[in-house]
Amino acid sequence: MNFETFNFHPSVMAGVRALGYVTPTPIQLQSIPPAMQGRDVLGLAQTGTGKTAAFALPILHRLQQGKRGILRALVVSPTRELAEQTCEAFSTLGRATGLRAVSIYGGVGKDQQIRKLRAGAEIAVGCPGRLLDHIWQGDMDLSHLEVLVIDEADRMFDMGFLPDIKNILQCILQPKQTLLFSATMPDDIRRLVKEILQNPVTVQIGHTAPVATVSHALYPVKQHLKTALLMELLYQTKTDSVLVFARTKHRVERLSEQLHKAGHRVASLQGNLSQQRRQSALERFRSGDVKILVATDIAARGIDVSGISHVINYDIPESVDAYTHRIGRTGRVDETGEAFTFVTGEDNTLVRDIEKVLKKPLERRTLQGFDYEVPSSAKEIRHSSPMILKAKFRRQGIGKKYRFDMSRSS
Ligand code: AMP
């Protein structure tokens, strides 16, 4: 099965070729045909399955016919990063179509967004809050909307966007087609689906289990040894790009600073950073300028960086779903990846839940040569901790000198 079978407009096919897609992914195989027939689609697919193209391609194909210079498709996304990425996917896949896409989210000025809307963008991809701003201020005309996509609906519920979404829906005079994507199906989503989708085709790709191309392992460790363990793990493991998740903004900043001081090329991504700094962190990670990105969960969705070899949960995520989404950042489509999760005694319940979803026990690993018994009173989390310094100097190839100096000073 290849993309020719869908009979896309030649200019849409040009986009498929430009991105080098050869074989449709399962979600694409199942949702593109009904979407092209104008049916409503409920797509239950986890991240990294190719779901963006599953809705973008039929939309581009549809908009290829009909009037230009008016807004005809709207995609609602939970995060700025995802909105930006989806907009980019439309622009790349649709390059030969001449259709224009605009991204709409807060944290950046409105003027450029308004200019693009007025210039006649046919596709808008945005986050609920800023979309409503534009709609209520009359900058966005939804009266010609043909297709509405609600992407990562479960995530939007988690983030408390339900009222905003309902407000947006009220401003839309029944679009001709609605596509809703969600990795999970909690009751709230089920109710929304009933209200807004008409006789939808349901496409389910796997359950909420993480992508199969990822191998998982747990590293039991005491809380105070996590940083040292991470350093040692980075030293001992052959990695390409590494995405590290920590629980809070503060922990992200502290950890990335410690990694930086230990000689790693690292950037951080968390909600307190300006949009520009977030964008720049992502760009540096994407381009390979930095090999490690330390992030809070805002990055778990929406980051589409190919070649992430390792996801390391410095802190275990809050739920099984959050685990799935984090892990979905590696092993995307045909790639394979490894997911390491640091666990303390307090994480046992969640570990059992994750294992239930995976339907198998997770491998527990210990890192050879790592001292798991350093007491917390040793304050080894400081940058000057012997273990962290050891990692730093080893990276710089001066391990021997370090040991020599230490023995002299002690
Ligand atoms: P998504 O789940 O939409 O975030 O897509 C994950 C990644 O898979 C993105 O980098 C896409 O460009 C890529 N992708 C989507 N469809 C295909 C395909 N049919 N073949 C290869 N890569 C794809």
Side-chain angles (χ1 to χ4, degrees):
M1 179 79 189
N2 54 31
F3 278 93
E4 267 73 26
T5 352
F6 296 126
N7 273 326
F8 285 131
H9 189 281
S11 54
V12 177
M13 265 317 284
V16 171
R17 284 196 200 100
L19 279 190
Y21 298 172
V22 179
T23 315
T25 65
I27 182 87
Q28 291 164 359
L29 271 179
Q30 293 183 45
S31 55
I32 289 174
M36 282 176 77
Q37 288 162 17
R39 298 277 307 267
D40 283 2
V41 173
L42 168 62
L44 294 169
Q46 61 207 54
T47 54
T49 51
K51 72 179 162 54
T52 314
F55 63 76
L57 290 170
I59 290 177
L60 289 166
H61 176 79
R62 176 185 187 132
L63 302 193
Q64 184 58 41
Q65 318 265 318
K67 232 176 149 185
R68 298 284 172 118
I70 47 172
L71 190 62
R72 294 167 63 197
L74 173 65
V75 180
V76 189
S77 301
T79 63
R80 299 164 185 180
E81 284 76 14
L82 184 62
E84 193 58 51
Q85 249 166 233
T86 306
C87 189
E88 265 174 50
F90 271 109
S91 302
T92 324
L93 286 167
R95 184 144 296 140
T97 65
L99 292 158
R100 286 155 298 174
V102 54
S103 58
I104 308 269
Y105 47 77
V108 293
K110 285 183 184 165
D111 291 353
Q112 204 190 357
Q113 299 172 355
I114 296 174
R115 258 200 309 279
K116 287 189 177 170
L117 285 166
R118 292 206 181 128
E122 289 86 7
I123 303 157
V125 187
C127 301
R130 180 59 71 87
L131 281 172
L132 272 176
D133 273 5
H134 283 302
I135 295 168
W136 284 334
Q137 283 176 12
D139 300 325
M140 221 173 153
D141 176 8
L142 299 182
S143 59
H144 302 284
L145 210 63
E146 293 172 37
V147 192
L148 170 70
V149 180
I150 301 191
D151 195 13
E152 305 210 338
D154 49 351
R155 176 66 164 173
M156 287 206 266
F157 281 83
D158 292 348
M159 294 171 77
F161 284 144
L162 181 59
D164 283 353
I165 290 174
K166 291 205 162 153
N167 280 327
I168 293 174
L169 289 168
Q170 277 174 353
C171 301
I172 299 172
L173 305 165
Q174 198 53 42
K176 294 196 176 82
Q177 184 178 27
T178 307
L179 313 170
L180 186 143
F181 290 84
S182 191
T184 56
M185 207 48 189
D187 287 346
D188 281 338
I189 309 270
R190 224 174 277 280
R191 272 194 292 276
L192 184 77
V193 162
K194 269 205 176 137
E195 279 171 37
I196 67 168
L197 296 189
Q198 284 176 1
N199 188 23
V201 175
T202 302
V203 175
Q204 179 155 11
I205 304 302
H207 289 282
T208 58
V211 267
T213 44
V214 179
S215 65
H216 306 250
L218 300 179
Y219 283 86
V221 62
K222 289 179 190 140
Q223 187 66 250
H224 69 277
L225 291 178
K226 281 183 173 179
T227 304
L229 179 67
L230 178 64
M231 302 279 183
E232 190 64 28
L233 194 59
L234 289 171
Y235 176 71
Q236 290 193 18
T237 315
K238 193 176 170 310
T239 59
D240 198 350
S241 292
V242 186
L243 182 56
V244 181
F245 284 105
R247 204 178 51 245
T248 63
K249 296 167 188 169
H250 175 70
R251 283 167 79 79
V252 162
E253 284 309 317
R254 196 185 56 177
L255 183 58
S256 64
E257 200 185 305
Q258 288 171 327
L259 288 166
H260 174 70
K261 286 193 170 148
H264 289 282
R265 299 217 315 271
V266 58
S268 63
L269 187 68
Q270 43 89 358
N272 276 357
L273 300 176
S274 67
Q275 186 56 29
Q276 205 183 2
R277 288 191 56 196
R278 288 199 208 182
Q279 215 53 51
S280 133
L282 270 178
E283 273 317 309
R284 293 182 65 205
F285 189 50
R286 207 172 265 145
S287 67
D289 179 30
V290 294
K291 290 287 178 205
I292 303 174
L293 184 69
V294 187
T296 53
D297 272 306
I298 64 162
R301 299 262 179 164
I303 291 189
D304 181 11
V305 179
S306 56
I308 293 183
S309 61
H310 290 79
V311 168
I312 300 180
N313 292 316
Y314 179 85
D315 295 316
I316 198 165
E318 277 171 10
S319 65
V320 180
D321 282 344
Y323 180 84
T324 306
H325 294 306
R326 285 187 185 181
I327 300 315
R329 301 301 105 203
T330 186
R332 288 167 89 75
V333 185
D334 283 336
E335 294 167 9
T336 52
E338 284 188 297
F340 300 149
T341 303
F342 291 0
V343 287
T344 66
E346 290 165 19
D347 302 326
N348 287 342
T349 315
L350 194 56
V351 168
R352 272 196 297 276
D353 291 347
I354 293 171
E355 290 177 324
K356 251 188 241 158
V357 171
L358 287 171
K359 297 195 178 75
K360 59 174 184 200
L362 287 167
E363 183 192 341
R364 268 80 173 159
R365 289 192 194 163
T366 40
L367 200 62
Q368 279 209 342
F370 181 74
D371 184 358
Y372 283 89
E373 294 311 320
V374 179
S376 61
S377 57
K379 294 196 176 135
E380 74 352 294
I381 299 291
R382 302 252 175 270
H383 318 310
S384 55
S385 106
M387 263 186 284
I388 292 173
L389 280 176
K390 192 168 104 192
K392 175 177 175 174
F393 290 130
R394 275 206 304 215
R395 288 184 67 74
Q396 295 169 357
I398 49 177
K400 280 194 179 112
K401 177 173 179 290
Y402 169 59
R403 272 195 290 276
F404 173 71
D405 284 351
M406 285 300 284
S407 61
R408 284 214 324 185
S409 62
S410 57

